Amino acid sequence: MKRVCWLLVLVLAVPAVAQQPPAWDISNTYWTAQIRDVLLGYTYDGNIRFFSMNTSTGEFTGRVQYLPPNLNPLGQYNVSGRVEGDNISFRGIANIPGLGNTDVVWVGTVTQNGARLEGQMAYWDWLWEVWVMFTWRTTSGGPARPIVRTYAISGKVTLEEFIGDLSTVAVTVQLRPAGSLNPIRTAVLNLDSAGNYTLPEVPNGTYDLAFQASHWLRRLVRNVTVSGANVTGVNVSLTNGDVNGDNEVGLLDFGLLTAAFNTQPGDAAWNPNADLNGDEEVGLPDFSVLVRSFGLAGDD
């Protein structure tokens, strides 16, 4: 019973947090550490080496060694544990002369932007039936690496006044910080036959998405927030008629469409961007599309 109570004291000494994915990757890191006996004030030096880690679950393996081992009865032993958010916990079984195998429990946090680990440690003393308490902190080594998690933004692109195969149209999207004109990433989206798209690998943040296709005006979707989950339903409708791709519909587009009038694929004057409605020929329906959009400009 004493053993359980003291273990609860150790665990409760660290702020409780809801289970969450790990914020730090500690795999393949080596740390030197100081371990201080809370009751007697003795300080021991040691090192902690973390081996493999699952960055999805936070589970890891490692090894603790006190330096030099003959100055501390705990010696060296393997450990396993988990990182949850900024919190780290692990345990192992050490062989203590006169006590035999005994549990050793570590809890702590990742601090200083991954440069330090610190917390509390205890081992079970079978003779006195108490947990012997220590504090610990790393003095060098690491660092822990932040885990950047990414998510997907998905939705539907409507290409106005187009009867062709949507899956053949390349749609470019710029991912911009909200309120900025400077993209942090540009991607080409592959639409399915219904116009659906997915933009993968987007980290947490608030973004503006700028969509544009070959003869459609740019359209901005503002303030799309990614916060720990995929975002769906980011839909956009693009205005047709920009034959020359300058993000406005005007006389230059009219001239290019006129030059390609009454042509089909394979003709010398064929211009695929003048085939605004996607019916594989440039004719009166394309002029109608341009007239309806004449004078319009896309978003910046």
Side-chain angles (χ1 to χ4, degrees):
M1 184 63 180
K2 290 181 181 178
R3 185 179 186 189
V4 174
C5 291
W6 277 102
L7 182 58
L8 288 175
V9 170
L10 173 66
V11 172
L12 293 176
V14 176
V17 295
Q19 185 170 339
Q20 54 186 303
W24 301 94
D25 180 2
I26 60 172
S27 63
N28 300 309
T29 60
Y30 176 89
W31 309 77
T32 59
Q34 282 189 343
I35 303 98
R36 182 177 182 275
D37 188 313
V38 172
L39 181 62
L40 301 178
Y42 297 144
T43 299
Y44 305 99
D45 294 325
N47 60 56
I48 307 171
R49 185 184 298 274
F50 297 110
F51 303 138
S52 61
M53 175 178 166
N54 184 320
T55 55
S56 296
T57 65
E59 296 177 349
F60 63 83
T61 61
R63 187 168 181 80
V64 172
Q65 180 177 359
Y66 295 85
L67 299 175
N70 61 351
L71 294 184
N72 188 285
L74 293 179
Q76 53 186 322
Y77 51 94
N78 294 326
V79 295
S80 61
R82 174 176 293 178
V83 178
E84 293 184 14
D86 294 331
N87 296 279
I88 181 171
S89 61
F90 53 100
R91 64 189 305 159
I93 298 177
N95 187 278
I96 301 178
L99 291 181
N101 291 338
T102 190
D103 293 326
V104 185
V105 179
W106 300 67
V107 292
T109 55
V110 180
T111 64
Q112 296 185 6
N113 198 29
R116 175 180 286 184
L117 312 178
E118 57 188 12
Q120 296 174 302
M121 183 271 285
Y123 74 86
W124 178 249
D125 188 320
W126 288 100
L127 295 180
W128 296 98
E129 294 189 341
V130 295
W131 285 96
V132 181
M133 305 286 292
F134 298 81
T135 59
W136 66 279
R137 66 182 180 90
T138 58
T139 55
S140 65
R145 301 172 298 277
I147 297 174
V148 179
R149 301 189 182 280
T150 61
Y151 305 91
I153 297 174
S154 61
K156 182 176 182 178
V157 176
T158 298
L159 300 176
E160 295 180 3
E161 302 192 78
F162 186 72
I163 62 174
D165 183 356
L166 297 180
S167 65
T168 66
V169 179
V171 176
T172 299
V173 61
Q174 293 180 346
L175 185 69
R176 306 172 179 175
S180 172
L181 295 178
N182 300 316
I184 57 177
R185 176 182 165 196
T186 300
V188 177
L189 302 176
N190 296 313
L191 306 182
D192 66 14
S193 59
N196 298 306
Y197 75 91
T198 298
L199 177 65
E201 299 181 356
V202 181
N204 288 331
T206 300
Y207 304 97
D208 294 339
L209 275 68
F211 295 84
Q212 190 171 21
S214 55
H215 48 82
W216 286 269
L217 299 176
R218 184 185 302 119
R219 180 63 58 85
L220 198 62
V221 179
R222 293 179 170 85
N223 296 319
V224 177
T225 298
V226 178
S227 181
N230 295 333
V231 179
T232 60
V234 181
N235 303 326
V236 64
S237 184
L238 303 185
T239 299
N240 204 344
D242 183 18
V243 180
N244 70 346
D246 66 354
N247 203 33
E248 61 182 11
V249 181
L251 290 175
L252 295 177
D253 304 297
F254 186 86
L256 290 174
L257 197 151
T258 300
F261 188 74
N262 204 29
T263 62
Q264 298 178 342
D267 292 342
W270 168 252
N271 181 351
N273 283 347
D275 179 21
L276 298 178
N277 70 346
D279 65 353
E280 296 291 299
E281 62 180 356
V282 179
L284 289 177
D286 303 299
F287 269 105
S288 297
V289 172
L290 191 148
V291 168
R292 284 190 288 272
S293 301
F294 194 82
L296 298 180
D299 295 329
D300 291 335

